[in-house]
């Protein structure tokens, strides 16, 4: 118990010393100290008189107040380009899984069209660079690759097995095709949004050239 108390006191003392050292190195202390040195210069010049301690302390406080606050470094997170690199690898894994699943011809065709769109968006180059500037678009694509598409296919495989054992009220193939159509529409909307952004950029440049010519 005594050892724990001594360790606690040591840790507390180290923390106090660390905070004191941090303050001594802070902009507030450095600015306040510079102002206080100016007060001492005034004292030696005979302007402060007998109130020089008050003048020096006041200048130190004023300098500390006007100094910018200590700014902790902002956390660094992966940039969108690195997120897309990881998403490309995950998409490759997803395609390998889809190639092993036995799907109806209509669903296979729909998945082929969908994966073609995703592959085009993730292709390294200016298209993926444009996508990287749209965090919501990256989220939509990652959600489709990581959750929506594999969940749709896996749910179909499981439901089809149960339907063969005991026919149900809904056709699992119909449900899968509806899900794939919705996903395809969502990715198409993402492509349309990126195209619209480029069109806006082009029109803006046209207006800039027209205004400059005028």
């Amino acid at each position: 118990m005594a050892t724990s108390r001594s360790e606690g006191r040591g840790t507390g003392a180290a923390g106090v010393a660390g905070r004191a050292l941090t303050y001594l190195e802070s902009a507030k202390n450095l600015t306040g100290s510079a102002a206080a040195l100016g007060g001492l210069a005034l004292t030696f010049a005979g302007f402060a008189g007998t109130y020089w301690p008050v003048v020096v302390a006041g200048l130190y406080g004023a300098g500390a107040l006007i100094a910018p606050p200590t700014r902790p470094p902002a956390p660094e997170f992966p940039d969108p380009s690195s997120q897309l690199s990881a998403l490309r690898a995950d998409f490759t894994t997803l395609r390998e899984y889809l190639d092993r699943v036995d799907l109806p011809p209509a669903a296979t065709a729909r998945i082929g069209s969908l994966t073609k769109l995703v592959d085009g968006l993730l292709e390294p180059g200016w298209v993926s660079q444009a996508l990287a500037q749209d965090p919501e678009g990256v989220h939509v694509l990652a959600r489709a690759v990581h959750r929506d598409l594999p969940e749709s296919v896996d749910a179909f495989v499981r439901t089809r097995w149960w339907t063969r054992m005991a026919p149900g009220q809904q056709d699992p193939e119909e449900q899968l095709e509806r899900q794939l159509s919705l996903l395809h529409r969502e990715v198409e909307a993402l492509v349309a949004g990126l195209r619209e952004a480029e069109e806006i950029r082009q029109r803006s440049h046209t207006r800039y050239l027209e205004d400059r010519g005028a």
Side-chain angles (χ1 to χ4, degrees):
M1 183 67 69
T3 302
S4 300
R5 290 175 180 174
S6 63
E7 289 178 353
R9 287 194 296 270
T11 303
V16 172
R19 287 192 294 270
L21 181 60
T22 300
Y23 178 76
L24 289 175
E25 296 174 346
S26 67
K28 286 184 174 295
N29 180 59
L30 296 176
T31 305
S33 298
L37 288 175
L40 289 176
L42 291 175
T43 299
F44 293 140
F47 292 103
T50 58
Y51 297 101
W52 69 268
V54 177
V55 172
V56 172
L59 289 174
Y60 177 86
L65 286 175
I66 66 173
T70 301
R71 184 182 66 84
E76 295 183 0
F77 299 106
D79 57 31
S81 298
S82 62
Q83 295 179 20
L84 289 182
S85 298
L87 189 56
R88 288 189 195 99
D90 295 339
F91 182 58
T92 299
T93 302
L94 175 62
R95 295 185 72 168
E96 293 172 352
Y97 160 73
L98 294 175
D99 290 340
R100 297 196 305 268
V101 180
D102 180 23
L103 295 173
T108 300
R110 178 66 70 176
I111 287 179
S113 178
L114 178 58
T115 55
K116 185 177 180 180
L117 282 177
V118 176
D119 193 40
L121 289 171
L122 292 177
E123 181 70 23
W126 66 270
V127 175
S128 61
Q129 290 173 1
L131 175 63
Q133 303 305 314
D134 182 8
E136 181 61 27
V138 175
H139 171 70
V140 168
L141 205 60
R143 183 177 58 193
V145 171
H146 292 154
R147 187 184 67 187
D148 293 337
L149 186 52
E151 172 62 22
S152 295
V153 173
D154 185 60
F156 164 75
V157 172
R158 289 184 281 112
T159 306
R160 180 178 57 178
W161 185 87
W162 286 109
T163 302
R164 289 172 178 174
M165 297 289 292
Q169 298 179 350
Q170 295 182 338
D171 184 1
E173 294 185 9
E174 179 183 350
Q175 291 295 314
L176 175 61
E177 290 181 18
R178 288 178 59 187
Q179 293 171 6
L180 294 176
S181 296
L182 292 171
L183 286 174
H184 194 276
R185 190 182 310 166
E186 190 174 44
V187 177
E188 278 186 328
L190 172 58
V191 173
L194 294 173
R195 183 203 64 222
E196 183 180 1
E198 293 297 337
E199 291 175 349
I200 292 174
R201 176 187 176 190
Q202 186 183 35
R203 290 196 300 267
S204 297
H205 189 58
T206 300
R207 286 194 297 268
Y208 162 72
L209 293 176
E210 290 173 346
D211 294 342
R212 191 176 68 182

